[in-house]
Amino acid sequence: MSETVTDGAAAANAADAHAGAAKKKKLIIIGAVVVLLLLLVGGGFWAKDRFFKSVGSTVASNSKMAQDALHPPVILGIPTLVSNLDSGDGRPVYVKLTAKVEVVGASNEASLQNVVPQIQDIFQTYLHETRPQDIRGNGIYRLHESIMRRLRVELAPLEVRNLYFVEFLVQ
């Protein structure tokens, strides 16, 4: 009788081991399926994002080309400005500046002549706040970007595309 109990216990242990191995296999398979689904969903979102970004940039470039066809960019010449910088020590430091502004949305340069004083004021105001050491090195780039931001805000219905410094002299 003890042999049947031992055989029964061995059979129960073998059945438990088999059930444990089957359970582990199930968990591994479920885990692999979950990881695969997460990868597929993430890849789908990534592909969707790339698709809509490329479609959006294509639509934006097409609308930009259509706008350029209706109103080609106008290069508006800004008369030469002479402005003094904030030197801080009392000695005068002057800047002589001639610039051109590329504007989209106007029919011709003559239609933009009424905004030239406003643009000159933006230049003068910014230059009066600037110190001579602020425009050394890459300071001209910062000057360019700051004036571009101000021009875009002030001339809001019009699109300011670029600003060109024709002459820039610090003395």
Side-chain angles (χ1 to χ4, degrees), residues 86-118:
D86 179 22
S87 65
D89 62 358
R91 81 181 163 87
V93 177
Y94 295 101
V95 173
K96 182 178 180 184
L97 176 72
T98 306
K100 293 187 181 280
V101 179
E102 184 177 354
V103 180
V104 175
S107 56
N108 56 20
E109 188 175 346
S111 66
L112 290 173
Q113 288 304 313
N114 61 341
V115 296
V116 170
Q118 189 177 1

Side-chain angles (χ1 to χ4, degrees), residues 6 12 19-20 22-23 35 65 96 102 107 129-130 138 140 152:
T6 314
K23 203 177 214 184
V35 168
M65 288 185 335
K96 182 178 180 184
E102 184 177 354
S107 56
E129 299 169 354
T130 306
N138 66 351
I140 292 180
R152 285 182 175 142

Side-chain angles (χ1 to χ4, degrees), residues 147-159:
I147 291 178
M148 281 288 293
R149 268 194 308 275
R150 291 179 182 203
L151 286 172
R152 285 182 175 142
V153 169
E154 288 295 320
L155 306 176
L158 301 172
E159 179 189 350

Side-chain angles (χ1 to χ4, degrees), residues 68-83:
D68 284 350
L70 291 175
H71 298 288
V74 174
I75 306 289
L76 178 64
I78 306 302
T80 301
L81 298 165
V82 176
S83 180

